[in-house]
Amino acid sequence: MSTAEETTGGEVEPWEEVTPDAARRLLVAAVEAFAERGYHATTTRDIAGRAGMSPAALYIHYKTKEELLHRISRIGHDKALDILRTAARREGTATERLADAVSSFVRWHAGRRTTARVVQYELDALGPEARAEIVALRRQVDAEVRGIIEDGVASGEFDVLDVHGTTLAVLSLCIDVARWFTVNGPRTPEEVGALYADLVLRMVGAQ
Amino acid sequence: MSTAEETTGGEVEPWEEVTPDAARRLLVAAVEAFAERGYHATTTRDIAGRAGMSPAALYIHYKTKEELLHRISRIGHDKALDILRTAARREGTATERLADAVSSFVRWHAGRRTTARVVQYELDALGPEARAEIVALRRQVDAEVRGIIEDGVASGEFDVLDVHGTTLAVLSLCIDVARWFTVNGPRTPEEVGALYADLVLRMVGAQ
DNA sequence: GGCTGCACTAAGCGCTCGCTCACCGTCGAC
DNA sequence: GTCGACGGTGAGCGAGCGCTTAGTGCAGCC
């Protein structure tokens, strides 16, 4: 598979859809703070301070601290789902599509680690309605990966006994990258993506 | 591999080493609360309440809330390391030892999910010295798994290009079980352990 | 130039947090 | 029977939390 064929890992400048500028600065500051310390350990004063504003400024653009997390989680899940959909619906064999999906999904989790951390690990901090909305997006994420694996099984490319369990394991492997990856580590997001694509193809018996 | 040959997943009654009884009740309550809500979102009043005691009682047995987390993390990491060491040092081929290590490690993460969650996801809430101590234990965990994989490569059983990266991925896969596993789910810890052992053997090219 | 609308701030409210302290009941040693 | 040791409680301290409110400065419009 050539580099040109691969979908991107989502490394374009993010949060450009958030306006006005002050709201975006607050949201970016919140992503950094939540990723670093966790939602509950982050104070609204810390978020406002990182954005160069007073604590009260936060409440002009967001009703509550939780709304900030909700917006981050929603946009992040949309992006993650978009990456997987792009890979799943391109042309090519199931093997190529699965490799593309895993490598781009992993590149996003490594390259945009702060966002991914918040998206994947702060779900429980959301209230019931917001959580339900995000859980629905996660089910779509799961369905995209499961679809590729089912295609590969149907075409005879893959040898998988437990499709649901294997889908779960593949996603789990990719998501956990956000926990351990650091920019100071020995691997680039691209290298981890390539390694993981290879490991996942082995998991589904594609080679 | 027969069931009798496998090492246990650590499903014996835990925390028996914590005495006196009140200190153990507080610690068990803290594990539940930390796993459910996270360290920072858990109050000392909640912990004491779950243990059937007044908030002040906590400070008779532990200096701070953080000391509780430290003790939990230390004991949990010791147990996890013990499980891996037992599997790594039994007799058998690298394939058998890796399958045993993964299935018992996964069974522990699924069966003792509350403990594993705290152990794996609340590391950052510890202070610098406590964190350094735990990080050292994690390096030993990594070394045990890497050792088995190196043995398998040396004996020709495994086909692995990047031993460090594959070790990381195997451990990551197992650890993330603590994030998604629920007792209400369709799989038992034993089933997940068996599935994951199979997937990991595929990842290292053992079959 | 005066007015309006609005992004933003300074100050602070009510509350809950981790933790402390003065006190209490029980129980073994003598 | 007395007493000290000790595990435990009720009340509350100082601090910091999420969030609010009254007021300020400034850009755009007539």
Side-chain angles (χ1 to χ4, degrees):
Chain A
M1 182 192 316
S2 82
T3 303
E5 272 180 15
E6 290 176 1
T7 50
T8 78
E11 289 89 356
V12 291
E13 189 56 30
W15 311 125
E16 54 192 7
E17 66 266 58
V18 181
T19 56
D21 183 68
R24 179 170 50 246
R25 271 159 47 219
L26 283 164
L27 191 133
V28 169
V31 170
E32 286 170 13
F34 291 163
E36 209 169 280
R37 305 206 222 292
Y39 175 79
H40 289 294
T42 298
T43 71
T44 54
R45 285 163 178 82
D46 181 27
I47 296 169
R50 284 172 192 249
M53 306 170 89
S54 76
L58 195 150
Y59 293 92
I60 295 165
H61 301 281
Y62 303 95
K63 277 210 300 292
T64 61
K65 178 180 151 186
E66 194 199 315
E67 191 195 322
L68 254 173
L69 176 61
H70 183 196
R71 291 269 263 268
I72 293 167
S73 195
R74 172 76 213 216
I75 296 173
H77 274 90
D78 282 345
K79 182 66 197 165
L81 183 54
D82 180 58
I83 289 170
L84 283 179
R85 273 211 232 274
T86 302
R89 298 177 181 183
R90 53 163 265 190
E91 48 188 338
T93 64
T95 303
E96 288 165 347
R97 285 154 56 222
L98 184 59
D100 194 2
V102 167
S103 74
S104 54
F105 198 54
V106 164
R107 282 203 306 277
W108 184 73
H109 278 82
R112 303 234 70 87
R113 176 181 176 265
T114 51
T115 303
R117 242 178 190 242
V118 178
V119 163
Q120 301 294 359
Y121 294 109
E122 300 293 348
L123 179 64
D124 290 345
L126 290 171
E129 324 91 60
R131 182 159 59 238
E133 178 195 327
I134 301 298
V135 165
L137 286 172
R138 294 210 183 196
R139 268 196 284 270
Q140 293 183 58
V141 164
D142 193 84
E144 291 297 335
V145 174
R146 196 173 59 248
I148 306 177
I149 294 179
E150 283 168 347
D151 288 349
V153 170
S155 73
E157 290 170 70
F158 300 162
D159 168 32
V160 175
L161 286 175
D162 179 351
V163 171
H164 278 83
T166 303
T167 301
L168 192 58
V170 168
L171 276 172
S172 170
L173 189 65
C174 296
I175 286 170
D176 199 55
V177 168
R179 184 182 57 86
W180 60 260
F181 188 85
T182 67
V183 286
N184 304 324
R187 289 167 234 278
T188 65
E190 286 71 26
E191 288 166 350
V192 179
L195 171 65
Y196 271 48
D198 175 61
L199 290 172
V200 166
L201 290 188
R202 289 169 173 232
M203 285 166 73
V204 298
Q207 39 188 224
Chain B
M1 182 191 316
S2 80
T3 302
E5 271 179 15
E6 291 175 0
T7 49
T8 80
E11 288 90 354
V12 291
E13 189 54 34
W15 311 123
E16 54 192 6
E17 65 266 58
V18 181
T19 55
D21 182 68
R24 178 171 51 246
R25 271 158 49 218
L26 283 164
L27 191 135
V28 168
V31 169
E32 286 171 14
F34 291 163
E36 210 170 280
R37 307 205 219 294
Y39 175 79
H40 289 294
T42 298
T43 71
T44 53
R45 286 165 177 81
D46 181 26
I47 297 169
R50 284 173 193 250
M53 306 170 89
S54 75
L58 195 151
Y59 294 91
I60 295 165
H61 299 282
Y62 303 95
K63 279 210 297 291
T64 62
K65 178 180 152 185
E66 194 198 315
E67 191 195 321
L68 254 173
L69 176 61
H70 183 197
R71 290 269 263 270
I72 293 167
S73 194
R74 172 75 215 217
I75 295 173
H77 274 90
D78 282 344
K79 182 66 196 168
L81 183 54
D82 181 56
I83 288 169
L84 282 179
R85 273 211 231 276
T86 302
R89 299 180 180 181
R90 53 163 263 191
E91 48 188 338
T93 64
T95 303
E96 288 166 346
R97 283 155 55 220
L98 184 59
D100 193 2
V102 167
S103 74
S104 54
F105 198 53
V106 164
R107 282 204 306 279
W108 184 74
H109 278 82
R112 303 234 70 89
R113 177 181 174 264
T114 51
T115 303
R117 241 178 192 244
V118 178
V119 162
Q120 301 295 0
Y121 294 109
E122 301 293 348
L123 180 63
D124 290 344
L126 289 171
E129 324 91 60
R131 181 159 59 239
E133 178 195 328
I134 301 297
V135 165
L137 285 173
R138 293 210 183 196
R139 268 198 284 269
Q140 293 183 59
V141 164
D142 192 83
E144 291 296 334
V145 174
R146 196 173 60 248
I148 305 178
I149 293 178
E150 282 168 349
D151 288 348
V153 170
S155 73
E157 291 169 69
F158 300 163
D159 168 33
V160 174
L161 287 173
D162 180 350
V163 170
H164 278 84
T166 303
T167 301
L168 193 57
V170 168
L171 275 173
S172 170
L173 189 65
C174 296
I175 286 170
D176 199 55
V177 168
R179 183 181 58 86
W180 61 261
F181 188 85
T182 66
V183 286
N184 304 324
R187 289 168 233 284
T188 65
E190 286 71 26
E191 287 166 351
V192 179
L195 171 65
Y196 270 48
D198 175 61
L199 290 172
V200 166
L201 290 188
R202 288 169 172 233
M203 285 166 73
V204 299
Q207 38 188 226

